[in-house]
Amino acid sequence: MRADAQRNRERIIEVARAIFREQGYDASLDLVAKQAGVGAGTLYRHFPNRESLVDAVMQVWVDRVNDTAGKAMAREGAPRDVLVGWFADYVALISLHKGGPAKLTCAMGDETSPIRTKCQVLSEAMRTVLSDLEDDLVVPVDALQACRLVGGVATVADQADLDAEAVRPMLEVVADGFLARG
Amino acid sequence: MRADAQRNRERIIEVARAIFREQGYDASLDLVAKQAGVGAGTLYRHFPNRESLVDAVMQVWVDRVNDTAGKAMAREGAPRDVLVGWFADYVALISLHKGGPAKLTCAMGDETSPIRTKCQVLSEAMRTVLSDLEDDLVVPVDALQACRLVGGVATVADQADLDAEAVRPMLEVVADGFLARG
DNA sequence: GAACAATACGGAGACTGTCTCCGTTTAGCA
DNA sequence: TGCTAAACGGAGACAGTCTCCGTATTGTTC
């Protein structure tokens, strides 16, 4: 690939990331092209559709997920505190872009979604955290189900513009639900 | 209002209901007008924007909410079963239209939403059901928070096309979270 | 039943966003 | 420096939104 093509591609991703954060994944791609200083044809040659641009934008996010998950697994304390803390990290991770929680949670269970492979780092992280807490969970918890529950909270929070303080009590309910079951 | 205008208005609502159920609230209003057999100008004169049409479509839904809530409050059995049963009813109610869970849950906490007054029948119903279970809840539960938690589950289920069987375990976690807290 | 006025209708058009096509431009190599 | 392949970009076809205004129809009065 030519150097100018590489620059354009990176520029488009950078601008898309900023616009997706503010306006969500439905933001105008013409606008992204314009703010990236390229033609619409250029954007569509690099990214044949919206999903492929979203996927490209997520690469940096994947790295961050792996980092945060690593830290969560190193966390110590009462199982409830560990779980609520991880859930709060999880919500923060998927809420980087407006509409992110809904899209990522949906992609997770969708075999056909182009961003599913990238979302798998999340469900893997959830599975690992839950495995570490296995002794405190009365019944084994399906990671996908946990992702959906916490993802649902994140989705509502995203759409209602709730801050972390407003979200935490709901994460506590979910954590209590997992820990107290039997 | 003239009789022909009344007929057109009712026809638009009826067609909108069917289309919103299948395609969600973002469905083309031009298509709604076309299938209702009226001009776009006619649709926009009756409903100046999408929200006002959605609000009109919801009137029948409001009646159904009141009915279902009445039955839930009459329900007897173990607190867990009552709560899970009501949550399942709640999910079914807000999932009548594609995108309904997200939209209704969001509107509930939004002072400026044109459909908020209609959503209040839901949060009132939630408040009443939770009040009846007060002795079993270790701490009083905010109805809006409960609506958001269950609404989050419904939103994820709606977007992933999950059936009631797949949703129920998640509602049980939420119910357990509320009942076992302390 | 006809006339008339007020109310309602409807679809073309301006506008935005999507996405493709193809003439033009440029990078990079020999 | 010249040439070729790769990349660019924006006009245009298309769909959807929403308004405007000429046309149609309803309903009332005589």
Side-chain angles (χ1 to χ4, degrees):
Chain A
M1 186 189 278
R2 268 164 45 174
D4 60 334
Q6 186 61 38
R7 272 197 308 281
N8 279 342
R9 188 176 191 283
E10 287 166 7
R11 180 67 185 148
I12 291 167
I13 291 175
E14 177 192 325
V15 167
R17 176 174 299 121
I19 291 181
F20 285 164
R21 172 174 297 130
E22 302 268 309
Q23 303 181 26
Y25 297 115
D26 297 330
S28 165
L29 297 193
D30 275 8
L31 175 69
V32 171
K34 196 161 291 173
Q35 291 207 0
V38 301
T42 302
L43 186 148
Y44 281 95
R45 204 185 34 266
H46 284 290
F47 306 100
N49 52 44
R50 188 180 292 272
E51 284 297 306
S52 52
L53 179 53
V54 169
D55 189 69
V57 163
M58 284 177 63
Q59 189 48 60
V60 168
W61 171 82
V62 163
D63 299 335
R64 182 167 161 170
V65 167
N66 286 329
D67 203 55
T68 306
K71 286 170 182 168
M73 286 182 260
R75 186 177 276 142
E76 292 182 356
R80 186 182 196 262
D81 293 336
V82 169
L83 197 52
V84 171
W86 160 242
F87 283 168
D89 288 343
Y90 186 99
V91 169
L93 281 170
I94 67 176
S95 304
L96 280 181
H97 301 126
K98 187 88 176 158
K103 194 170 186 77
L104 299 175
T105 305
C106 187
M108 212 165 280
D110 180 2
E111 306 279 325
T112 65
S113 174
I115 58 172
R116 181 169 182 263
T117 55
K118 293 240 177 11
C119 293
Q120 268 174 317
V121 300
L122 263 181
S123 46
E124 284 308 312
M126 178 69 80
R127 179 169 289 113
T128 306
V129 171
L130 291 175
S131 291
D132 286 355
L133 290 166
E134 200 169 44
D135 292 343
D136 300 281
L137 304 171
V138 181
V139 297
V141 175
D142 177 32
L144 178 57
Q145 186 182 106
C147 288
R148 283 175 165 155
L149 265 160
V150 181
V153 171
T155 299
V156 168
D158 180 51
Q159 284 164 2
D161 277 314
L162 302 179
D163 58 24
E165 287 299 303
V167 170
R168 197 173 184 91
M170 294 189 275
L171 297 178
E172 287 171 351
V173 174
V174 175
D176 288 341
F178 282 136
L179 291 166
R181 313 195 70 198
Chain B
M1 186 190 275
R2 267 163 50 175
D4 61 332
Q6 186 64 35
R7 272 197 307 282
N8 278 341
R9 187 175 191 282
E10 287 166 6
R11 179 67 185 147
I12 292 167
I13 292 176
E14 177 191 326
V15 166
R17 176 174 298 124
I19 291 181
F20 286 164
R21 172 174 296 133
E22 302 270 307
Q23 304 182 24
Y25 297 116
D26 296 330
S28 164
L29 296 191
D30 276 9
L31 175 70
V32 171
K34 198 161 289 175
Q35 291 206 2
V38 302
T42 301
L43 186 147
Y44 281 96
R45 203 183 36 266
H46 283 291
F47 306 100
N49 52 46
R50 186 178 295 271
E51 284 297 307
S52 53
L53 178 54
V54 169
D55 189 69
V57 162
M58 283 177 64
Q59 190 50 59
V60 167
W61 169 83
V62 163
D63 300 335
R64 183 168 162 168
V65 168
N66 287 329
D67 203 54
T68 307
K71 287 171 181 167
M73 286 182 261
R75 187 176 275 142
E76 293 183 357
R80 188 180 194 263
D81 295 335
V82 169
L83 197 52
V84 173
W86 160 242
F87 283 169
D89 289 343
Y90 185 99
V91 169
L93 281 170
I94 66 177
S95 305
L96 281 181
H97 301 125
K98 188 91 179 150
K103 194 170 186 74
L104 298 176
T105 305
C106 188
M108 210 166 281
D110 180 2
E111 305 278 324
T112 64
S113 174
I115 59 173
R116 181 169 181 262
T117 54
K118 293 237 176 17
C119 294
Q120 269 174 315
V121 300
L122 264 181
S123 48
E124 285 306 311
M126 178 68 80
R127 177 172 291 112
T128 306
V129 172
L130 291 176
S131 290
D132 287 354
L133 291 166
E134 199 170 45
D135 293 342
D136 302 281
L137 304 172
V138 181
V139 295
V141 177
D142 178 33
L144 178 58
Q145 186 182 106
C147 287
R148 281 173 167 157
L149 264 160
V150 181
V153 172
T155 299
V156 169
D158 179 52
Q159 283 165 3
D161 276 315
L162 302 180
D163 58 23
E165 287 301 302
V167 170
R168 194 172 186 91
M170 294 190 273
L171 297 177
E172 286 169 354
V173 174
V174 176
D176 288 341
F178 281 137
L179 292 165
R181 314 195 69 197

